[in-house]
Amino acid sequence: MNSDCIFCKIAAGEIPSSTVYEDQDFRVIMDINPASKGHAIILPKEHAANVFELSDETASKIFVVAKKVATAMKEELNCEGINILQNNGELAGQTVFHVHMHLIPRYKDDTVTIGWAHKEAYNDDFAAIAKSIAARIK
Ligand code: 5GP
Ligand code: ZN
């Protein structure tokens, strides 16, 4: 628990929130500035600024929670799809530095923008990149 961190306080229940789901490791709440109706964020109760700091134990559980809540959302909201995503670092769009996962329901003709432009021709050497990353995997 980081006493300067708003998501720690929300996850611990010290600041009230619209909670969708809670267990001993996570609290899932409605995003205060939703991209679409039902946009929720999964907050681990453990403080970690980003995925790099997150424990393997919590990392291994978070997608199970995402699946559980996404399934309920799909049934209840009748959305066509759901984006599940997570930002690390300011450049990647992270604005709150307590790791969290977004569940963004998608509806026909919604105005949500998520994505990136695919490069048509990419000159990097895929094999070399794969090999050099692989060498660092612990
Ligand atoms: P990020 O940009 O870091 O991936 O996402 C942060 C998200 O947290 C944003 O979608 C923002 O709307 C949401 N958010 C920021 N502060 C609060 C808050 O105090 N309460 C809730 N419920 N959501 C918040
Ligand atoms: Zn925190």
Side-chain angles (χ1 to χ4, degrees):
M1 169 99 186
N2 177 338
S3 57
D4 296 328
C5 172
I6 183 146
F7 279 5
C8 275
K9 289 180 184 158
I10 293 173
E14 285 178 16
I15 296 176
S17 62
S18 297
T19 296
V20 184
Y21 173 82
E22 185 185 7
D23 64 22
Q24 66 174 29
D25 302 306
F26 301 96
R27 182 186 293 271
V28 183
I29 63 168
M30 292 286 103
D31 194 293
I32 204 167
N33 292 126
S36 66
K37 181 183 164 194
H39 180 173
I41 42 181
I42 304 173
L43 312 181
K45 292 186 176 177
E46 162 197 346
H47 179 83
N50 49 43
V51 72
F52 311 113
E53 290 184 6
L54 192 62
S55 69
D56 284 356
E57 196 191 351
T58 304
S60 71
K61 290 176 180 168
I62 196 165
F63 217 79
V64 177
V65 174
K67 180 184 166 184
K68 210 188 278 289
V69 178
T71 302
M73 279 177 155
K74 180 108 171 59
E75 285 174 19
E76 178 59 24
L77 301 169
N78 286 315
C79 48
E80 300 277 322
I82 300 183
N83 289 109
I84 299 177
L85 57 95
Q86 194 271 316
N87 301 324
N88 298 285
E90 211 172 331
L91 197 72
Q94 187 176 9
T95 58
V96 179
F97 296 91
H98 174 122
V99 70
H100 52 280
M101 190 174 269
H102 294 265
L103 301 171
I104 305 177
R106 300 302 303 272
Y107 305 91
K108 192 170 181 304
D109 299 326
D110 69 29
T111 55
V112 178
T113 49
I114 290 167
W116 51 90
H118 292 271
K119 292 187 168 78
E120 273 189 27
Y122 203 79
N123 293 324
D124 282 325
D125 181 342
F126 294 126
I129 295 170
K131 202 173 166 190
S132 60
I133 296 169
R136 288 186 181 271
I137 292 177
K138 297 173 183 100

